[in-house]
Amino acid sequence: MAKTPVRVAVTGAAGQIAYSLLFRIANGDLLGKDTPVILQLLDLPQALNAVNGVVMEIDDCAFPLLAGVVITDDPEVAFKDADIAILVGARPRSKGMERADLLAANAAIFKVQGAALNKAASRDVKVLVVGNPANTNAYIAMKSAPDLPAKNFTAMLRLDHNRALSQLAAKAGVAVSSLEKLAVWGNHSPTMYADYRATTANGESIKAKINDEAWNRDTFLPTVGKRGAAIIEARGLSSAASAANAAIDHVRDWVLGTNGGWVSMGVPSDGSYGVPEGIIFGVPATCENGEYTVVKGIELDEFSKERFKITLDELLSEAEGVADLLK
Ligand SMILES: NC(=O)C1=CN([C@@H]2O[C@H](COP(=O)(O)OP(=O)(O)OC[C@H]3O[C@@H](n4cnc5c(N)ncnc54)[C@H](O)[C@@H]3O)[C@@H](O)[C@H]2O)C=CC1
Ligand SMILES: O=C([O-])CC(=O)C(=O)O
């Protein structure tokens, strides 16, 4: 019997990330080649003409799995019965800005969208926030949706995770596909802590194989942390296709499972690792039957504790910065 189509809402549908993301969702890369999808696209009124143009192109692909498209500037229409909501729409940063500079500009958007999700979306909606600053935007959306389970709200750390995998594979001379058990902790910002102490390639410790603590501190962590800025510097625009790819990876793994493998996701803290409850913090997780489970019991050494504190302090100050908005 044909499967019921899954309703996937995407905000910022006229933007550069969406221009990669929407075609891949319609192609079945998100939910598998046996699952029809309905795209529910949101953007600002002045961008709807551009969304219409993107949808003309989507039509011209004749995707067999595409069961419908909704185009709207009303968040409640976009999120109506949504099973998945990928919140991309926000102002991106330009040269010289830090992601935190976007906090004020983007916070209000996520309050409105959280409230609209609360009202209109499926009670099981899986929300991924991509728009920066992603963790705190997810926090605002979650706090603005009191009738939805907090665990439904996640932020994208997967781009950092994928960047780290690629750097590690190159350094160690192993295939990306052989790497397991990488953790990216904290905020999607240069403070994130990509932690490969537990990572293995074909069962062998990557830390032992690389055996270069100076590289970890002085090259690897800054490269992963500042990759977004390096791409803006080189391209004049922030990363788009790689961000769309990471969004696909995040949601696909959440829905379809990771077979025991670790992925990094920003999720509301349950208090583990000393992160105050509700703060959206990047953690290693496994996914099964549509649920994620945080990997527990990882010991933090002195260096890890230092890095952990820096990224947590940043998130706590971002949360404080939006406290008034949430009253
Ligand atoms: N978490 C991550 O790893 C990454 C996050 N990003 C972030 O993703 C966001 C989007 O990036 P791009 O697609 O490159 O930007 P873009 O400027 O090309 O597109 C953004 C789109 O969002 C729309 N928009 C703005 N406010 C909106 C609202 N209230 N409701 C609906 N749509 C709205 C705009 O009209 C525009 O079409 C930025 O915040 C960027 O910093 C980018 C790369 C990676
Ligand atoms: O750096 C930016 O502004 C876009 C982004 O989040 C990334 O590429 O990681």
Side-chain angles (χ1 to χ4, degrees):
M1 206 177 73
K3 275 183 152 181
T4 314
V6 174
R7 293 180 176 274
V8 184
V10 178
T11 74
Q16 50 151 6
I17 293 176
Y19 195 66
S20 286
L21 183 60
L22 299 177
F23 294 84
R24 293 195 53 193
I25 297 172
N27 191 46
D29 294 2
L30 188 73
L31 300 169
K33 297 286 183 192
D34 58 346
T35 305
V37 291
I38 296 174
L39 289 173
Q40 306 192 160
L41 307 179
L42 180 74
D43 210 306
L44 299 172
Q46 62 272 26
L48 289 188
N49 203 26
V51 178
N52 275 317
V54 175
V55 171
M56 283 186 227
E57 284 204 65
I58 291 173
D59 287 344
D60 294 349
C61 295
F63 289 116
L65 290 172
L66 188 62
V69 181
V70 174
I71 301 171
T72 181
D73 58 6
D74 179 345
E76 282 182 32
V77 173
F79 298 145
K80 179 95 184 91
D81 299 326
D83 303 295
I84 291 167
I86 307 181
L87 309 189
V88 182
R91 186 176 147 197
R93 66 175 168 150
S94 40
K95 280 188 192 181
M97 285 171 88
E98 264 317 324
R99 295 186 189 97
D101 298 333
L102 297 173
L103 192 58
N106 288 333
I109 296 176
F110 290 85
K111 184 171 178 169
V112 170
Q113 293 187 358
L117 284 161
N118 195 51
K119 204 158 168 192
S122 156
R123 300 300 85 181
D124 296 323
V125 65
K126 288 180 165 55
V127 181
L128 168 63
V129 176
V130 175
N132 279 317
N135 298 52
T136 298
N137 288 339
Y139 175 79
I140 295 167
M142 174 189 82
K143 291 283 185 195
S144 307
D147 303 330
L148 292 172
K151 70 175 170 60
N152 296 17
F153 289 82
T154 67
M156 193 160 96
L157 269 293
R158 187 61 175 264
L159 184 51
D160 309 274
H161 183 99
N162 288 347
R163 287 167 172 163
L165 284 178
S166 168
Q167 297 294 323
L168 286 171
K171 175 74 176 170
V174 298
V176 168
S177 59
S178 69
L179 293 172
E180 290 182 70
K181 296 191 172 174
L182 172 71
V184 182
W185 304 98
N187 201 5
H188 172 63
S189 90
T191 66
M192 62 86 229
Y193 173 39
D195 174 6
Y196 62 86
R197 291 171 306 133
T199 308
T200 57
N202 307 313
E204 222 190 305
S205 161
I206 274 288
K207 184 168 187 287
K209 198 170 164 64
I210 292 175
N211 192 24
D212 188 346
E213 228 5 72
W215 178 79
N216 180 31
R217 287 164 198 242
D218 304 335
T219 303
F220 172 70
L221 288 171
T223 300
V224 177
K226 295 184 190 151
R227 188 68 158 187
I231 287 166
I232 293 171
E233 196 52 44
R235 235 170 64 84
L237 288 168
S238 63
S239 49
S242 57
N245 180 66
I248 295 270
D249 285 353
H250 177 118
V251 175
R252 183 202 58 220
D253 286 350
W254 188 0
V255 174
L256 300 178
T258 62
N259 268 323
W262 295 13
V263 289
S264 300
M265 302 170 74
V267 306
S269 174
D270 61 2
S272 48
Y273 296 107
V275 178
E277 214 169 302
I279 292 292
I280 308 266
F281 199 80
V283 288
T286 58
C287 302
E288 199 178 356
N289 300 324
E291 301 287 341
Y292 60 80
T293 305
V294 176
V295 178
K296 298 279 172 70
I298 298 173
E299 294 288 337
L300 297 176
D301 59 14
E302 278 315 306
F303 177 68
S304 304
K305 281 183 192 154
E306 264 169 46
R307 294 293 311 216
F308 219 81
K309 181 169 173 353
I310 293 168
T311 197
L312 177 56
D313 285 351
E314 183 180 51
L315 279 170
L316 293 175
S317 87
E318 288 183 17
E320 209 178 291
V322 298
D324 276 351
L325 184 88
L326 294 172
K327 275 182 190 152

